[in-house]
Amino acid sequence: MRFIKLSLPILLLLFLTAGALPRVTDRPPDPRVEKLLARMTLDEKIGQMSLFTTDWGSTGPTIREGYKNDIRKGACGALFNSHTVAFTRELQRIAVEEARLKIPLLFGYDVIHGYKTIFPIPLGESCSWDLAAMEQSAHIAATEAAAAGLHWTYAPMVDIARDPRWGRVMEGAGEDTYLGCRIAEARVRGIQGKGPGNTDAMIACVKHYAGYGAPIGGRDYNTVDMSERFFREYYLPPYQAAVKAGAMTVMTAFNDYDGVPASGNKHLLTDILRKEWGFNGFVVTDYTSINEMVNHGVVANDKEAGELAVNAGVDMDMQGAVYQRFLAQSVKEGKVKMATIDASVRRILQLKFDMGLFDNPYKFCDETREKEVILSKAHRDAARDVARKSIVLLKNDRNVLPLSKDRKIAVVGPLADTKNDLIGAWSGAGSGDDCVNLLEGLSNAGIRPVAVAKGCAVEGDDKAGFSDAIQAANQADVVLVVVGESAWMSGEASSRAELNLPGVQEDLVRALVATGKPVVVVLMNGRPLTIPWLAANATAIVETWWLGTEAGNAIADVLTGVYNPSGKLTMSFPRSVGQVPIFYNERSTGRPFDPNSKWTSKYIDMPNAPLYPFGYGLSYTTFSYGDPSLNKSTFKKGESLQITVNVTNTGNRDGEEIVQLYVRDLVGSVTRPVKELKGFRKVFLAKGATTAVSFTLTDKDLSFYNKNMRFGSEPGEYDIMVGGNSQDLKKIKAIMR
Ligand code: BGC
């Protein structure tokens, strides 16, 4: 109480002098923060705004004097890539025992799809369309990481991506904005759990704000340019959804938008993020992205880059040391206001106070918890569950799958025994040694192959192993061939110009198909691939992405039918790189595609349609859809509309179906997409059962940025479409008056 009385006048003064500057919104100043801020030197304030990586070698951490000294001097407020209780405890000790103000450090790490127990890559996991499962996997990842001394994860990555050449599509939730928003919310909820300071949760960092998923040509780090209408309609909503779900930090993107790099973009960081969306956490850059503004050519040197960043709204500099080296000088020269620095430091300190780190800086350092929690049976079970839900069955001719146990099976291909690849890119502290590979998974399921052969490597042109592979096939009734990419081929800085199976893998599959045996292709990869020959000639295709620690068991569950596959694609699979970018929700052209007319929007050498569309995926059973019905065919602007459809399991097995709702606004003040996902439900249906699935469309669902850039709905005619993928849909009309 005494403390509050003393500090109120100071608070008032600070409040008034802050004027129109960005500051923590919707929250009265915290006396603990203000008291500490008042004691800090400018260098110590800048220290809180500086984040550095630690050196984690292949065998463990090395504590370098350089950043130890930074911690001692108060020149660094947060570190990343340092994990495990032992390591973080030692670093925290230096901060709270040796530095003047004893401000605890914040420890960050890329816990993208698991810490030690690795879940499917996020793109794969998004194909489960199972929000509860994704929330749970994010929560388990956070629980494990928090048990290893970590506080803050650079996730979720919510960048919408329509170009599979971009290697980082593996990290997101695919091409669709509506689904991307729901998944962003689920992941934030999972990561942050019951809130800051809970030792089974972390602080989320939504990234990469904004538009990083749309680099021109699919080339990582390339520039981004599009209309603001497009940007706001398709690319921004998932970041906003994550912020609304409570994400406490945001990471800037490497790219520019409309000519201004994201890390110096006031329009994005202050006008939209803080003023429009009311974000009151802190903003961190991506790795050295302040420095990179010199290369972007919008500033002449690092010092100017720092000024541009901080004045645009960047609170924390990741690894660039720009703030550390130049910000004090910029303040002295009047190029940066002290109030701007204070606003940033307030946000950072507030989070540390909210997490309770000042009361107990070691609250995340508990060796017993670390031992018990990491890679626990419960976590592995959850990983297996979501992994099998992420698998997408692309083809299954003559019901070759599920495999019956009396058939002789040959297992061929370079990825059948891989362990290291299974954890995919951005795999935290995960290790291939903890993974169950496919051969082990099959063996756990009681399947003993009659022959195993590698055939070839993922890359290269060596076909010497083909004859062994063919021999193996000849001994079997069914051939499983496991092909795809190596894990390093997707992720950061892993854009590809070709999207085919690398090396001679497709030739291997061709050779196996030529034996006349049924060939089941098991794909492992981090992005949609161009596989038209496989689609036409393989007997079955199972897309398994990189499924993580329990990959082999999960794939075996699907191959043997213990689990009936239910995943559906969240990114279109092109037939050829020439179709890229490719996505289902394109806008209507003035010359819509007509197969019988040359003068329409089409290719002369290939269909417009993808090989496998968004929302597509098969099951071992079949589903049929009745005609959708509406609670009213005419509705008033502002009213909501109810759509109901009967879905029946028409096959011979129980199964799950992802029922999808799409909408088309037929006449708008601006061109509108030919269809847009506006709802989905995952339903379980016993064989022969029918269920009525209902959706409610609200006015917001029908809203968009109109001719005057106002967000709202427009009266007129709508097509309402329901079905099991974005192409096979049943339609009904509705009119908004
Ligand atoms: C990536 C970020 C990541 C950061 C820290 C960057 O290269 O773009 O997504 O969080 O490194 O590891």
Side-chain angles (χ1 to χ4, degrees):
M1 265 328 268
R2 186 166 158 264
F3 164 63
I4 291 176
K5 269 187 212 144
L6 279 178
S7 52
L8 269 177
I10 303 170
L11 296 182
L12 198 63
L13 191 71
L14 283 166
F15 199 72
L16 293 174
T17 50
L21 288 165
R23 55 177 309 283
V24 178
T25 49
D26 306 329
R27 190 168 167 167
D30 184 328
R32 299 168 304 177
V33 173
E34 301 306 326
K35 189 180 170 201
L36 180 54
L37 194 64
R39 293 173 59 211
M40 293 172 82
T41 63
L42 177 56
D43 284 341
E44 283 165 336
K45 289 177 184 175
I46 294 169
Q48 289 304 305
M49 298 167 70
S50 300
L51 164 68
F52 295 106
T53 180
T54 53
D55 309 306
W56 187 283
S58 51
T59 51
T62 31
I63 301 191
R64 217 170 8 96
E65 277 310 304
Y67 61 82
K68 257 179 154 178
N69 285 336
D70 278 340
I71 303 170
R72 278 191 197 104
K73 280 192 302 190
C76 153
L79 288 168
F80 68 116
N81 291 337
S82 32
H83 50 109
T84 69
V85 166
F87 190 20
T88 54
R89 183 195 291 281
E90 170 55 10
L91 296 169
Q92 194 68 297
R93 190 198 60 72
I94 303 174
V96 300
E97 288 183 19
E98 299 184 28
R100 186 180 81 93
L101 290 174
K102 307 187 184 329
I103 303 176
L105 291 166
L106 198 64
F107 292 107
Y109 195 44
D110 291 283
V111 184
I112 308 295
H113 54 113
Y115 174 69
K116 272 273 186 194
T117 303
I118 302 300
F119 292 86
I121 56 168
L123 176 65
E125 204 185 55
S126 71
C127 295
S128 72
W129 300 54
D130 188 328
L131 299 176
M134 285 183 258
E135 179 172 339
Q136 191 193 27
S137 82
H139 190 60
I140 290 174
T143 304
E144 289 198 359
L150 289 158
H151 307 139
W152 182 30
T153 174
Y154 304 132
M157 186 275 220
V158 303
D159 305 321
I160 294 296
R162 297 167 157 187
D163 188 334
R165 291 173 297 183
W166 189 51
R168 298 195 81 167
V169 300
M170 54 80 41
E171 245 181 288
E175 72 189 41
D176 184 61
T177 307
Y178 177 85
L179 180 60
C181 287
R182 303 295 80 79
I183 293 178
E185 292 156 357
R187 290 190 169 138
V188 169
R189 285 196 304 267
I191 291 166
Q192 296 195 158
K194 294 208 184 80
N198 279 285
T199 51
D200 66 348
M202 296 179 96
I203 304 300
C205 184
V206 184
K207 68 188 190 185
H208 305 81
Y209 185 70
Y212 183 42
I216 292 172
R219 218 175 61 221
D220 206 3
Y221 316 126
N222 203 2
T223 58
V224 169
D225 204 4
M226 65 179 83
S227 69
E228 179 136 355
R229 179 189 313 286
F230 225 68
F231 201 54
R232 281 185 179 270
E233 216 162 305
Y234 299 112
Y235 288 85
L236 286 187
Y239 307 102
Q240 185 179 16
V243 164
K244 249 183 137 177
M248 281 176 259
T249 70
V250 169
M251 185 186 292
T252 63
F254 285 125
N255 55 278
D256 66 343
Y257 169 66
D258 195 19
V260 185
S263 299
N265 196 317
K266 195 167 190 168
H267 180 53
L268 286 179
L269 299 176
T270 298
D271 300 344
I272 297 180
L273 181 64
R274 293 211 180 273
K275 294 189 182 155
E276 271 185 45
W277 300 352
F279 174 67
N280 61 13
F282 73 78
V283 172
V284 62
T285 65
D286 204 344
Y287 203 106
T288 63
S289 66
I290 298 184
N291 320 51
E292 290 169 25
M293 292 200 284
V294 177
N295 283 342
H296 275 288
V298 296
V299 283
N301 52 48
D302 282 359
K303 177 168 169 287
E304 282 181 19
E307 289 158 8
L308 183 63
V310 77
N311 288 328
V314 168
D315 301 305
M316 192 182 276
D317 169 7
M318 182 194 281
Q319 191 58 14
V322 173
Y323 284 4
Q324 188 182 58
R325 287 177 292 147
F326 303 110
L327 213 47
Q329 186 60 29
S330 302
V331 172
K332 276 172 209 140
E333 289 170 9
K335 303 229 166 78
V336 175
K337 293 200 177 86
M338 185 63 106
T340 305
I341 304 283
D342 285 349
S344 290
V345 178
R346 267 192 195 99
R347 293 176 187 127
I348 295 161
L349 292 179
Q350 186 68 66
L351 185 69
K352 293 183 177 182
F353 274 109
D354 289 348
M355 291 179 72
L357 291 176
F358 283 91
D359 298 330
N360 178 7
Y362 303 110
K363 68 191 286 196
F364 289 80
C365 296
D366 176 342
E367 279 84 358
T368 315
R369 187 168 58 223
E370 187 176 35
K371 275 198 207 91
E372 280 170 11
V373 160
I374 291 174
L375 276 170
S376 69
K377 163 122 186 17
H379 291 182
R380 294 193 75 126
D381 288 349
R384 179 173 180 163
D385 180 55
V386 71
R388 55 196 204 171
K389 289 175 171 160
S390 305
I391 293 170
V392 186
L393 180 63
L394 295 175
K395 182 176 183 189
N396 191 19
D397 270 6
R398 305 190 300 277
N399 292 327
V400 64
L401 293 175
L403 299 168
S404 59
K405 287 207 172 136
D406 52 355
R407 303 194 84 185
K408 287 186 274 174
I409 291 157
V411 182
V412 177
L415 293 166
D417 64 352
T418 185
K419 280 182 174 265
N420 288 337
D421 289 296
L422 294 174
I423 55 177
W426 290 115
S427 43
S431 160
D433 296 344
D434 296 320
C435 287
V436 178
N437 69 21
L438 181 53
L439 285 174
E440 291 165 341
L442 290 171
S443 154
N444 294 342
I447 293 188
R448 310 257 172 274
V450 287
V452 174
K454 189 170 174 190
C456 63
V458 170
E459 290 174 276
D461 52 12
D462 188 355
K463 296 186 177 178
F466 276 29
S467 55
D468 281 358
I470 292 164
Q471 237 178 47
N474 284 331
Q475 295 172 51
D477 301 325
V478 181
V479 187
L480 279 187
V481 55
V482 193
V483 288
E485 299 179 307
S486 298
W488 71 269
M489 289 180 179
S490 56
E492 187 173 352
S494 292
S495 293
R496 290 183 62 198
E498 301 285 1
L499 294 172
N500 53 352
L501 283 175
V504 291
Q505 293 180 98
E506 187 169 308
D507 291 344
L508 175 67
V509 182
R510 284 174 189 252
L512 296 169
V513 169
T515 65
K517 302 284 170 141
V519 173
V520 175
V521 178
V522 176
L523 289 173
M524 296 183 175
N525 45 288
R527 55 156 66 76
L529 297 174
T530 50
I531 46 164
W533 191 89
L534 264 53
N537 297 286
T539 319
I541 306 176
V542 187
E543 174 55 80
T544 73
W545 314 107
W546 298 117
L547 290 178
T549 312
E550 286 289 323
N553 286 332
I555 300 170
D557 284 344
V558 164
L559 294 178
T560 57
V562 167
Y563 180 77
N564 186 356
S566 63
K568 304 245 187 187
L569 296 178
T570 57
M571 267 192 102
S572 311
F573 268 49
R575 294 166 198 271
S576 150
V577 180
Q579 291 181 310
V580 168
I582 186 164
F583 47 95
Y584 81 94
N585 50 346
E586 56 185 17
R587 287 173 186 247
S588 43
T589 72
R591 293 193 176 194
F593 171 72
D594 174 352
N596 302 317
S597 165
K598 175 176 163 62
W599 309 102
T600 60
S601 179
K602 64 200 257 202
Y603 299 107
I604 56 167
D605 52 357
M606 188 169 291
N608 283 8
L611 185 62
Y612 295 115
F614 174 84
Y616 172 84
L618 302 173
S619 160
Y620 295 148
T621 188
T622 47
F623 298 97
S624 78
Y625 284 74
D627 290 322
S629 64
L630 304 174
N631 63 335
K632 48 193 163 196
S633 55
T634 303
F635 63 110
K636 287 202 205 100
K637 184 172 159 62
E639 275 179 2
S640 53
L641 185 67
Q642 251 197 10
I643 301 101
T644 305
V645 64
N646 281 336
V647 184
T648 305
N649 181 340
T650 45
N652 292 322
R653 283 169 180 267
D654 301 348
E656 288 160 292
E657 168 72 334
I658 298 165
V659 183
Q660 301 159 43
L661 170 77
Y662 296 85
V663 169
R664 177 174 187 175
D665 179 356
L666 285 152
V667 181
S669 61
V670 293
T671 53
R672 303 291 301 130
V674 294
K675 62 192 74 159
E676 285 182 293
L677 184 75
K678 289 296 175 188
F680 62 90
R681 298 262 184 292
K682 191 164 186 171
V683 291
F684 173 84
L685 281 170
K687 63 177 170 186
T690 297
T691 190
V693 179
S694 288
F695 299 95
T696 302
L697 273 176
T698 65
D699 191 58
K700 186 162 173 251
D701 292 324
L702 302 175
S703 295
F704 60 98
Y705 288 92
N706 70 13
K707 209 166 166 181
N708 306 314
M709 284 303 282
R710 291 232 170 76
F711 190 71
S713 65
E714 290 178 353
E717 200 172 305
Y718 289 83
D719 280 345
I720 313 288
M721 295 161 272
V722 184
N725 69 63
S726 64
Q727 269 176 8
D728 302 318
L729 296 164
K730 293 218 164 166
K731 187 160 82 180
I732 187 166
K733 285 200 184 297
I735 294 170
M736 185 203 284
R737 296 224 185 271

